[in-house]
C-alpha cells in the first residue's frame, strides 16, 4: 500500500507569489509536501508491489497487469516535420478552418471530462523528432526495464503517451511522444504559461461583444457575459476549471488580441523547445494545421507549474464564478467544478487519484480526448500525458492516465530513462546543442551537468485553496525552497 506522509502545511500561494515578486524570478527548483491521506477517497492499493496470476488481479482493480509490449504496425513512411507545415495565420476575429463534422452535427468542443471523442490519424510516422532522446523518435512503446521493474499496464490505447519524473525530467516510458496530433484544450496550458505572467490577477475587464467573436460552434464556455466585468483571476479559473473558450478570448483580448496571442504562444513554444507544436487558436479548438504532441504538452505543463498562480488554478477543484451584472441588482455567483476527473473523482471507480494536483484535460472532434496530469506519492512527482485513446469508453483517457501513474510510481528507480524533458533554450548552461537532444546513456548526465539550468528541472507545484467536495475535502499543501545561488 502506498500512503502519503502527514506533513504540516508548508507555504501558500500568496506567500509563494510574494517571494517570486521579491526575487523577480520564478523559483525553478522546488518541491511540495505529500497530500494528506485524509482525503475523500480510500487509500489506493498500488503499485508498491506487483501481483501475479489471474486470481490476484481479480481481487483488486488497482493492481497493475503485466504486458509484453510491441510496437504498432506502421503505415506512414515519412515523418511530418513541423518545418513542412505551411504558415497559418488566424483572422483578427479568430475564425478557424472547418474542423469537420462531429457526432452531433457541429464542430464539437466537448471539454466536459466525459472522455469520448472522435479519432485522429490511426498510425504514427515511421520517424519522428528526437528532441529529448533518440528513443523518442521511434514509433511504439519505449521502456528500458531493470531488475524488479514492472511491465507496462495492459490495454493502453492512447495514440501517444508519456510518463516522466516532474523534477528530474527523466522520461520513464513513452509511446509515439513526438507524434503531431490535434491537442484540444490541453493547448490552454501553453496559453496560460504564455499569457498568465503578463496580466495581474486583480486586473478587471468589462466584456464587449467583439471580445467573444469567432468562438467555434460547440465551444466549451464558463458563462462570460457581455457588459459584465471580470477579474483576471476569475477568468483563469474559468479557463482551468471549465475550459472556457469565452474566458480565453477575453484574456487574449487583454493580451492584445487573438493574432498577437497566437504569435506569442508560438514563440514561447519554440523557447521551450516544443518543436512539434503549431498554434492556430489560443483555446485549442480544432483548426487546420494546429498540432502538438505528448512531449510538448508535458513541457507546457512543466513550465506552467513553475508559476504560483498556474499551480493554484490547475489544482482548484471548485470555485464561484461571477454571474451577469444587472443594473439595480446584486450580482450573484455560481459554482464551477473542475472537469479533471482525476482531481475531483467524479465518475471514477477509485475516486480522486491520490496526490493529483492538476493539470488540464481536453476533448474535440479531431483530437479525441487528451489529458496531462501531475501527481505525487512519497515525495516523487510524476507527469503523465495521454492523447486520443482508441477505446471508446467514458473517462478512458483518465483511466489510462491512472494506470500509467500507478506504473510510474512503482517503476521509478527500476527503469532506465528513455529520454529527457529538455529545459528551455534560455536556461543557462542547459548542456544541449541547437536541438536540445538528450537520451540513452547521456540523458541523466545532460541534466546533472546543466549548472544553474538544473534549477529549472525541479518542478514545484502549488495547490489551490481548501475545497469541500461531497462529504470530504481535498487540499494540497506545497513548499517552495529557495533556488540555489
Amino acid at each position: 500500500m502506498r500512503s502519503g506522509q502527514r506533513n504540516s502545511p508548508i507555504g501558500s500561494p500568496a506567500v509563494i507569489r510574494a517571494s517570486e515578486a521579491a526575487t523577480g524570478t520564478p523559483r525553478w527548483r522546488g518541491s511540495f509536501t505529500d497530500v494528506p491521506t485524509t482525503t475523500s477517497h480510500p487509500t489506493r492499493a498500488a503499485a508498491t508491489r506487483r501481483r501475479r496470476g489471474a486470481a490476484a488481479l481479480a481481487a483488486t482493480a488497482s493492481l497493475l497487469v503485466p504486458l509484453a509490449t510491441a510496437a504498432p504496425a506502421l503505415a506512414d513512411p515519412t515523418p511530418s516535420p513541423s518545418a513542412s507545415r505551411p504558415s497559418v495565420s488566424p483572422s483578427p476575429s479568430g475564425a478557424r478552418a472547418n474542423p469537420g463534422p462531429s457526432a452531433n452535427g457541429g464542430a464539437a468542443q466537448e471539454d466536459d471530462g466525459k472522455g469520448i471523442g472522435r479519432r485522429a490519424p490511426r498510425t504514427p510516422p515511421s520517424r519522428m523528432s528526437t528532441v529529448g532522446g533518440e528513443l523518442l523518435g521511434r514509433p511504439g512503446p519505449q521502456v528500458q526495464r531493470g531488475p524488479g521493474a514492472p511491465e507496462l499496464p495492459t490495454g493502453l490505447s492512447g495514440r501517444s503517451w508519456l510518463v516522466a519524473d516532474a523534477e528530474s525530467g527523466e522520461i520513464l516510458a513513452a509511446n509515439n511522444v513526438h507524434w503531431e496530433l490535434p491537442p484540444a484544450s490541453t493547448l490552454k496550458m501553453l496559453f496560460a504559461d504564455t499569457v498568465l505572467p503578463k496580466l495581474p490577477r486583480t486586473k478587471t475587464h468589462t466584456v464587449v461583444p467583439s471580445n467573444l467573436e469567432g468562438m467555434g460552434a460547440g465551444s466549451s464556455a464558463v458563462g462570460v457575459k457581455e457588459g459584465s466585468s471580470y477579474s483576471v483571476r476569475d477568468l483563469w479559473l474559468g479557463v482551468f476549471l471549465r475550459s472556457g473558450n469565452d474566458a480565453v478570448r477575453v484574456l487574449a483580448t487583454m493580451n492584445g488580441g487573438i493574432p498577437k496571442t497566437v504569435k506569442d504562444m508560438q514563440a514561447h513554444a519554440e523557447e521551450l523547445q516544443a518543436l512539434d507544436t503549431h498554434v492556430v487558436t489560443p483555446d485549442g479548438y480544432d483548426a487546420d494545421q494546429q498540432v502538438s504532441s505528448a512531449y510538448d504538452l508535458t513541457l507546457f505543463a512543466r513550465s506552467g507549474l513553475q508559476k504560483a498562480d498556474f499551480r493554484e488554478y490547475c489544482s482548484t477543484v471548485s470555485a464561484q464564478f461571477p454571474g451577469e451584472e444587472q443594473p439595480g441588482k446584486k450580482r450573484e455567483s455560481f459554482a464551477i467544478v473542475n472537469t479533471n476527473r482525476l482531481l475531483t473523482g467524479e465518475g471514477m471507480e477509485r475516486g480522486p487519484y491520490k496526490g493529483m494536483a492538476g493539470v488540464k484535460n481536453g476533448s474535440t472532434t479531431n483530437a479525441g480526448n487528451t489529458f496531462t496530469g501531475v501527481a505525487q506519492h512519497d515525495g516523487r512527482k510524476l507527469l503523465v500525458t495521454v492523447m486520443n485513446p482508441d477505446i471508446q469508453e467514458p473517462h478512458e483517457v483518465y483511466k489510462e492516465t491512472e494506470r500509467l501513474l500507478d506504473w510510474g510510481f512503482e517503476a521509478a528507480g527500476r527503469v532506465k530513462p528513455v529520454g529527457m524533458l529538455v529545459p528551455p533554450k534560455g536556461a543557462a548552461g542547459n548542456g544541449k546543442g541547437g536541438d536540445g537532444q538528450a537520451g540513452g546513456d547521456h540523458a541523466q548526465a545532460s541534466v546533472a551537468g546543466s549548472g544553474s539550468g538544473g534549477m529549472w528541472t525541479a518542478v514545484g507545484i502549488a495547490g489551490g485553496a481548501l475545497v469541500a467536495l461531497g462529504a470530504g475535502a481535498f487540499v494540497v499543501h506545497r513548499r517552495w525552497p529557495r533556488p540555489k545561488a
Side-chain angles (χ1 to χ4, degrees), residues 129-467:
S129 168
T130 56
V131 170
E134 290 293 331
L135 292 178
L136 303 184
R138 301 179 185 179
Q142 306 296 324
V143 63
Q144 300 186 106
R145 296 168 56 226
E151 297 184 45
L152 290 171
T154 58
L156 297 176
S157 68
R159 304 286 170 86
S160 177
W161 52 259
L162 176 155
V163 183
D165 188 295
E167 291 195 324
S168 71
E170 293 178 348
I171 297 175
L172 308 184
N175 179 55
N176 304 323
V177 296
H178 283 296
W179 190 359
E180 297 175 0
L181 296 167
S185 283
T186 45
L187 193 65
K188 289 183 172 80
M189 293 187 295
L190 174 61
F191 171 71
D193 193 38
T194 303
V195 175
L196 191 152
K198 302 178 181 181
L199 303 175
R201 61 193 270 129
T202 57
K203 184 176 181 179
T204 60
H205 178 81
T206 300
V207 179
V208 298
S210 61
N211 297 163
L212 302 177
E213 289 178 357
M215 284 179 57
S219 284
S220 53
V222 66
V224 171
K225 300 296 184 182
E226 298 172 5
S228 296
S229 64
Y230 300 87
S231 70
V232 166
R233 180 181 182 275
D234 293 334
L235 294 167
W236 282 121
L237 287 170
V239 169
F240 278 96
L241 273 65
R242 298 304 304 172
S243 204
N245 289 3
D246 49 356
V248 167
R249 297 216 150 243
V250 176
L251 288 164
T253 296
M254 299 175 72
N255 185 56
I258 298 294
K260 179 182 183 298
T261 298
V262 167
K263 183 178 179 180
D264 290 349
M265 290 170 64
Q266 189 66 57
H268 189 49
E270 292 170 4
E271 169 62 22
L272 294 176
Q273 303 202 65
L275 305 182
D276 304 323
T277 297
H278 184 69
V279 183
V280 181
T281 70
D283 49 27
Y285 191 93
D286 287 338
D288 186 32
Q289 304 294 331
Q290 180 154 275
V291 291
S292 190
S293 67
Y295 187 89
D296 286 8
L297 293 176
T298 309
L299 290 181
F300 301 152
R302 193 169 183 234
S303 179
L305 290 166
Q306 306 292 337
K307 300 171 177 62
D309 284 347
F310 187 107
R311 298 189 297 269
E312 176 188 344
Y313 300 141
C314 79
S315 64
T316 298
V317 175
S318 67
Q320 291 292 313
F321 193 81
E324 185 175 6
E325 287 182 305
Q326 298 180 354
K329 294 184 179 180
K330 180 182 177 181
R331 190 175 192 180
E332 304 291 341
S333 64
F334 56 91
I336 56 174
V337 178
N338 204 311
T339 55
N340 175 353
R341 301 298 176 109
L342 293 185
L343 190 62
T344 67
E346 184 180 356
M348 301 299 295
E349 181 179 349
R350 291 162 57 172
Y353 191 87
K354 184 174 178 291
M356 175 60 52
V359 177
K360 189 70 186 75
N361 58 305
S363 176
T364 63
T365 301
N366 291 353
N369 302 285
T370 62
F371 179 66
T372 297
V374 65
Q376 171 185 318
H377 284 295
D378 299 325
R380 186 180 296 276
K381 280 77 70 178
L382 294 183
L383 279 162
V384 169
T385 294
V386 176
M387 298 186 75
N388 203 343
D390 277 325
I391 295 176
Q392 293 286 287
E393 292 185 6
H395 319 319
E396 181 63 26
V397 74
Y398 303 106
K399 294 174 184 177
E400 296 192 15
T401 299
E402 188 175 54
R403 286 152 55 205
L404 284 168
L405 282 168
D406 280 350
W407 176 86
F409 284 117
E410 183 180 3
R414 302 177 183 179
V415 295
K416 181 180 178 180
V418 297
M420 298 294 298
L421 298 174
V422 296
K425 289 180 181 178
N430 62 20
K432 308 293 186 296
D435 57 3
Q437 293 185 16
D441 293 336
H442 304 293
Q444 180 61 33
S446 69
V447 169
S450 63
S452 62
M455 293 189 299
W456 184 91
T457 66
V459 174
I461 302 157
L466 176 63
V467 181

